[in-house]
Amino acid sequence: MFDHLLPHRRLELLSLNRDVLKTITDCCAPADALQLAMTCHDAYDLAMPRVLADVAIGDPLQDDGPDRLEKFCRFMLADPRRRIRHLRALRLLEGAFARIRIVRGRERLDADFSSADVLAKLLHQADNLRVIHIRDAEPLFQFNPAVYEALAQLPSLKELSLYYIGNSTLKAISLLRSTPAIIENGLWKDGPRPQGDITPFGPFVDSMRHLKLWECGCMLESIIDENVAKRHVYPNVHTLQIGGRIAKVSELAHAFPNLRRLTFYLEFSLKQETGPAVCWPELDYLETSAPIPAFPSPARRLQLQYPIGTTPGSHNSSDLKTLQLMERANPVALSCTVSDAVPLTMLERMKGAMPSLRYLELVYTDASGRSGVRWATFRDWVVRLPRLLGRCQPGSPHRTTRRNVTLTSSGPPRSSASASDAPALRSRPRVPTRGRSGS
């Protein structure tokens, strides 16, 4: 009955139940699990499965290139039954196949694919691999086709990310044995792309959920080409991130009819519509790095990755196109960057263009794009902007609407909001106006 008065017993970590220890290590970052594994033999056996589950090689800040990749592959192959089965994610970053050389006193990065053979052997046995990212995919595949042949035979792949791509990369994707839900491609790096090339995404019509084509939107041209007899439709894709040369929005809507999140990345160009565009009834999230005045669908959250008002005057082309985009999207939440040079009339027109707006994340910069503005000027905005946005809605002269406003002068808007944003908007209809400054 006096047990509660006794001092707490000292508990050894490794004396805990094995299932509890596994839960603890699963919550550790791989780097922390590695530190634990180095303490003793028992901790090594406990922590190494977590260390080997998610491996990244080629971080330029750590200078771990081809030598580390080869050592890792040989370590895994030395005891494949105990080690390779734990490998779930392998990320080969920009330094994985780059060796630093000193030429005339200056550092130079040279491609080094000497580890390709041993990498192919590892992939041949990595049956539990779920995620793979290879930045220098095309030059690697051209140097040693055995790598993409091994990659194509992976049975459990769920996320495939190949950045530098070309014809060998397309061939590898077309031969995939697995059916990934996420496919990411980056920059075409294999000379001119053949005319009439058929992109290899056809086998993944049912499995694909998320498609990222950062600087190679032209890859979609063949699967949505009106002249192709069999046009692919991807009913399960909910997220598309795309850049480069892009087809008409109406064609994207035909190929991805149930899309919820759409991002136009960096430099991109959209084909012009030739008639009325039939598109999505509504998107949860739209992000763009340039104004799209004719965008045909509303979006609950609009993220603008370019500044408003950097060109003096109230009639500059970019701001007028932005107003058209705001009017068509009519978002509930807006995230954007506004220059101190933007006239008050532009803010009035922004408010009028978005009658559904309730949440605003606004970054305030000077005319040159720097976020370090004078406190007095920023303070005036904190006072003026909520008043502007909190006025009566058009058509309701006696009704005011409180809107959630976040002001900052400390950096650009956050990119690619989480998938939980849309439900959050619906569950928070009215929040008191607030202002904050990061300067």
Side-chain angles (χ1 to χ4, degrees):
M1 61 181 296
F2 298 104
D3 289 347
H4 66 285
L5 299 177
L6 298 176
H8 292 292
R9 290 186 304 163
R10 184 175 181 179
L11 180 65
E12 297 291 339
L13 174 64
L14 297 180
S15 67
L16 293 173
N17 182 281
R18 195 73 179 180
D19 292 338
V20 175
L21 290 173
K22 184 180 184 305
T23 301
I24 294 173
T25 55
D26 287 346
C27 294
C28 291
D32 295 334
L34 181 60
Q35 295 299 315
L36 175 61
M38 296 170 64
T39 58
C40 65
H41 287 293
D42 290 340
Y44 181 91
D45 293 337
L46 171 69
M48 282 307 290
R50 178 67 185 102
V51 175
L52 300 178
D54 192 337
V55 176
I57 298 175
D59 186 343
L61 297 179
Q62 299 182 14
D63 190 22
D64 57 349
D67 293 338
R68 185 184 171 208
L69 175 58
E70 181 161 355
K71 290 177 181 178
F72 167 74
C73 293
R74 294 195 182 281
F75 169 79
M76 299 292 281
L77 292 168
D79 192 353
R81 292 184 61 184
R82 295 183 57 195
R83 295 171 181 171
I84 297 181
R85 65 188 179 93
H86 298 300
L87 184 61
R88 297 292 188 275
L90 179 61
R91 310 173 200 277
L92 304 181
L93 309 178
E94 58 186 294
F97 301 101
R99 188 176 298 279
I100 299 177
R101 302 188 189 279
I102 306 298
V103 179
R104 297 179 181 178
R106 294 184 178 182
E107 289 187 352
R108 188 181 73 182
L109 286 178
D110 290 341
D112 184 345
F113 299 105
S114 58
S115 56
D117 285 336
V118 69
L119 173 62
K121 293 177 182 178
L122 172 62
L123 292 179
H124 269 298
Q125 302 184 52
D127 291 342
N128 293 328
L129 192 64
R130 304 288 193 273
V131 178
I132 187 166
H133 168 82
I134 305 178
R135 178 177 173 84
D136 297 309
E138 184 61 23
L140 172 63
F141 295 162
Q142 290 185 5
F143 179 85
N144 192 335
V147 177
Y148 80 71
E149 292 170 358
L151 183 146
Q153 295 304 310
L154 292 171
S156 305
L157 206 59
K158 296 302 179 186
E159 181 174 343
L160 175 67
S161 174
L162 306 173
Y163 191 75
Y164 287 130
I165 61 171
N167 291 298
S168 298
T169 308
L170 296 187
K171 184 176 180 180
I173 296 175
S174 66
L175 296 174
L176 279 179
R177 176 183 170 190
S178 54
T179 53
I182 302 175
I183 296 180
E184 177 179 19
N185 292 145
L187 184 65
W188 184 268
K189 199 172 185 180
D190 191 22
R193 190 157 176 264
Q195 293 294 322
D197 173 62
I198 300 299
T199 51
F201 301 142
F204 316 118
V205 166
D206 295 323
S207 67
M208 191 158 58
R209 303 290 188 273
H210 188 161
L211 180 60
K212 309 175 189 179
L213 301 174
W214 294 119
E215 298 174 78
C216 53
C218 58
M219 291 182 68
L220 288 182
E221 289 178 330
S222 56
I223 64 171
I224 59 180
D225 191 341
E226 295 177 352
N227 298 320
V228 175
K230 183 179 179 181
R231 297 178 66 186
H232 292 285
V233 175
Y234 298 81
N236 298 319
V237 171
H238 56 72
T239 302
L240 175 64
Q241 296 168 290
I242 188 170
R245 190 174 69 247
I246 305 173
K248 300 174 184 177
V249 174
S250 59
E251 293 175 347
L252 293 179
H254 179 272
F256 309 102
N258 299 314
L259 198 71
R260 302 308 305 164
R261 300 170 63 84
L262 177 59
T263 296
F264 293 103
Y265 178 72
L266 289 182
E267 296 183 2
F268 68 92
S269 61
L270 274 171
K271 287 186 178 179
Q272 296 296 318
E273 301 287 345
T274 55
V278 179
C279 291
W280 309 279
E282 184 183 57
L283 295 175
D284 288 336
Y285 180 82
L286 173 64
E287 178 180 339
T288 177
S289 56
I292 312 173
F295 191 80
S297 297
R300 288 190 62 82
R301 172 160 182 155
L302 178 61
Q303 182 105 16
L304 303 181
Q305 294 294 345
Y306 61 91
I308 299 172
T310 54
T311 303
S314 59
H315 301 289
N316 72 78
S317 174
S318 178
D319 288 354
L320 293 177
K321 291 179 180 178
T322 298
L323 284 172
Q324 295 178 53
L325 171 61
M326 290 176 172
E327 184 175 1
R328 287 176 172 268
N330 190 20
V332 174
L334 172 68
S335 179
C336 64
T337 299
V338 174
S339 167
D340 63 353
V342 67
L344 184 62
T345 54
M346 176 63 183
L347 298 177
E348 291 274 12
R349 296 180 68 180
M350 286 171 56
K351 180 182 77 75
M354 300 175 287
S356 298
L357 186 66
R358 295 295 181 273
Y359 304 91
L360 173 64
E361 179 185 45
L362 187 142
V363 176
Y364 179 56
T365 69
D366 63 13
S368 62
R370 294 189 299 267
S371 58
V373 296
R374 289 176 295 184
W375 167 248
T377 307
F378 183 75
R379 182 185 57 194
D380 291 342
W381 265 69
V382 172
V383 172
R384 181 178 64 169
L385 193 62
R387 289 179 180 174
L388 174 68
L389 294 174
R391 290 177 183 173
C392 297
Q393 288 198 41
S396 304
H398 302 295
R399 175 174 168 233
T400 61
T401 302
R402 306 186 79 178
R403 306 189 180 191
N404 182 27
V405 182
T406 298
L407 293 165
T408 181
S409 61
S410 59
R414 292 188 299 272
S415 175
S416 300
S418 66
S420 60
D421 285 341
L425 297 180
R426 297 183 180 92
S427 63
R428 296 170 56 197
R430 291 188 181 180
V431 180
T433 301
R434 55 190 171 91
R436 65 177 173 88
S437 170
S439 60

